[in-house]
Amino acid sequence: MLKNEWKEKGFVDEPIAEGTDLKTEIRRLCKEKDAVILAHYYTVGEIQEVADFIGDSLALAQKAAKTDAKIIVMCGVHFMAETCKILCPEKMVLCPDLNAGCSLADSCKAEDLKKYKEEHPGYKVVSYVNTTADVKALTDIVVTSGNAKKIVDSMPKDEKIIFGPDYNLGSYINSVTGREMLLWNGGCHVHERFSVEGIIRLKKEHPDALVLAHPECKGSVLTLADVVGSTAVILKHCIESDKKEFIIATESGILHEIERQCEGKTFYPVPPEMSEDTIGCSCNECNYMKLNSLSKIYNALKYEWPTVDVPEDIRKEAVKPIERMLELS
Ligand code: 13P
Ligand code: SF4
């Protein structure tokens, strides 16, 4: 029986019995209930270790679209769970903590986008996957950081495009495609604050290191990067490069998988800019991603809650631009 207190909190807050081996219990529940755990690279290491599949947002959507499991436990943030539900309406989608939002998705409200579309007739809307289902329902095609260039390149050269909500990703895509898309002024609170001075200092200390940055970082950071790409692209470069040192400008959770796959190489996370809330902080973390924990996953599987649901009228519209993206990826 779900307690009202848990519903208010947005996750099942049941204490775990002493001595419980959470990883073993989670795997047991997955088997018993035919559940699959999908985890983003930004979740903590122990979640990545217990997951069936880890990946960037594109790979997670592709995996969700193909899974046969009855339950999907999406260990990422809320819009990722929503994307799973949009693609798999017949499945139960669990989001271990409903408070796992995204500052970027929050920066674009459906009513504001609707108004902007009305002010710009004839424009196609290209939305980053970091958006709510309501925004996707107003979108012509969804992109991720892993396929945005390819998808924008596939559109007619004279197409008028509104790109949202990430301003930095949109600017970067404009610069590499030669487009002049209209850009929404949204951003990610983690990627926007990487320190340019921090990269310059790290580069001085480690002159041979390759600088890798996520395209959600601001332009002044991307200018200093040798490689700009999604979390999966950053990981791939670290694995395949002959270099031994890397300066990483993305959320620090990715280091778990990078370090696992790149023995003998060294990684330097770029620090955030100094401000009142970052003093003493050596790395950038997405506080939303870090809301996922083994105990919340265990309780979500045990109680089959919190589920993520999308009203059918919204889902029917939102699935179209996601499927267009998957066809082109
Ligand atoms: P990826 O598409 O690289 O997984 O990034 C998702 C994200 O939320 C970055 O902040
Ligand atoms: Fe959203 Fe930024 Fe967290 Fe990615 S890192 S999930 S864009 S808040």
Side-chain angles (χ1 to χ4, degrees):
M1 181 65 178
L2 274 182
K3 295 181 186 166
N4 278 338
E5 172 204 332
W6 296 346
K7 288 187 191 162
E8 273 161 34
K9 283 187 171 168
F11 62 95
V12 178
D13 188 19
E14 185 177 69
I16 305 294
E18 217 176 294
T20 306
D21 177 348
L22 277 173
K23 283 188 182 166
T24 307
E25 282 305 300
I26 287 169
R27 292 314 317 167
R28 183 186 62 73
L29 282 170
C30 280
K31 201 165 173 214
E32 184 185 308
K33 301 195 174 203
D34 190 14
V36 67
I37 300 178
L38 309 183
H40 191 270
Y41 290 128
Y42 294 165
T43 53
V44 293
E46 58 188 11
I47 292 180
Q48 297 187 41
E49 285 157 18
V50 84
D52 293 277
F53 181 77
I54 53 172
D56 68 351
S57 52
L58 174 60
L60 294 173
Q62 287 168 326
K63 197 75 185 172
K66 286 195 192 128
T67 184
D68 292 328
K70 282 197 190 122
I71 300 177
I72 299 173
V73 187
M74 182 66 232
C75 300
V77 291
H78 191 269
F79 78 78
M80 294 179 177
E82 250 185 3
T83 304
C84 293
K85 188 66 186 179
I86 293 166
L87 286 165
C88 313
E90 73 296 349
K91 296 188 192 301
M92 175 183 286
V93 176
L94 297 170
C95 175
D97 186 336
L98 292 176
N99 301 298
C102 167
S103 54
L104 187 46
D106 286 347
S107 65
C108 184
K109 302 269 175 269
E111 60 267 30
D112 297 336
L113 178 60
K114 193 165 176 281
K115 193 163 165 268
Y116 196 67
K117 273 180 77 170
E118 281 159 10
E119 288 163 6
H120 296 87
Y123 277 73
K124 290 273 189 281
V125 177
V126 177
S127 291
Y128 193 27
V129 70
N130 297 41
T131 43
T132 62
D134 290 356
V135 165
K136 289 188 176 83
L138 296 169
T139 294
D140 292 288
I141 188 155
V142 167
V143 299
T144 70
S145 52
N147 60 20
K149 178 180 182 304
K150 186 176 171 190
I151 288 180
V152 170
D153 271 339
S154 76
M155 298 172 80
K157 281 273 168 279
D158 57 351
E159 190 81 78
K160 294 194 283 184
I161 302 172
I162 296 168
F163 184 96
D166 192 59
Y167 181 86
N168 293 329
L169 174 63
S171 291
Y172 173 70
I173 297 300
N174 270 345
S175 73
V176 291
T177 60
R179 305 270 176 155
E180 289 181 2
M181 301 185 294
L182 292 184
L183 306 179
W184 198 263
N185 194 16
C188 159
H189 71 299
V190 180
H191 287 87
E192 278 188 323
R193 68 184 191 195
F194 283 110
S195 159
V196 170
E197 291 71 31
I199 300 180
I200 293 170
R201 180 180 49 75
L202 283 167
K203 195 69 198 166
K204 259 198 201 134
E205 288 166 9
H206 313 284
D208 283 341
L210 204 67
V211 180
L212 302 110
H214 196 281
E216 287 173 23
C217 296
K218 54 189 184 250
S220 50
V221 164
L222 298 182
T223 310
L224 297 172
D226 299 297
V227 177
V228 175
S230 70
T231 45
V233 166
I234 291 174
L235 171 65
K236 190 169 180 280
H237 270 271
C238 293
I239 296 169
E240 291 175 358
S241 169
D242 294 336
K243 295 265 186 184
K244 292 277 174 263
E245 294 178 299
F246 304 84
I247 295 167
I248 309 285
T250 193
E251 210 269 2
S252 59
I254 184 75
L255 292 171
H256 181 266
E257 185 58 11
I258 292 182
E259 281 170 350
R260 196 184 71 78
Q261 293 214 40
C262 301
E263 230 177 280
K265 296 183 177 178
T266 312
F267 304 93
Y268 308 102
V270 177
E273 270 163 5
M274 281 302 184
S275 70
E276 266 178 33
D277 62 325
T278 57
I279 288 174
C281 184
S282 62
C283 60
N284 279 287
E285 291 197 344
C286 173
N287 46 333
Y288 298 115
M289 287 280 181
K290 297 314 192 238
L291 287 177
N292 291 286
S293 67
L294 288 183
S295 55
K296 287 178 189 165
I297 296 170
Y298 170 75
N299 279 331
L301 277 162
K302 184 170 166 190
Y303 288 93
E304 300 188 3
W305 192 84
T307 53
V308 168
D309 294 292
V310 178
E312 188 54 18
D313 55 334
I314 299 292
R315 194 201 71 79
K316 266 165 82 187
E317 291 307 309
V319 76
K320 294 177 198 166
I322 302 177
E323 281 179 344
R324 269 179 219 128
M325 169 187 84
L326 292 176
E327 277 160 26
L328 287 170
S329 299

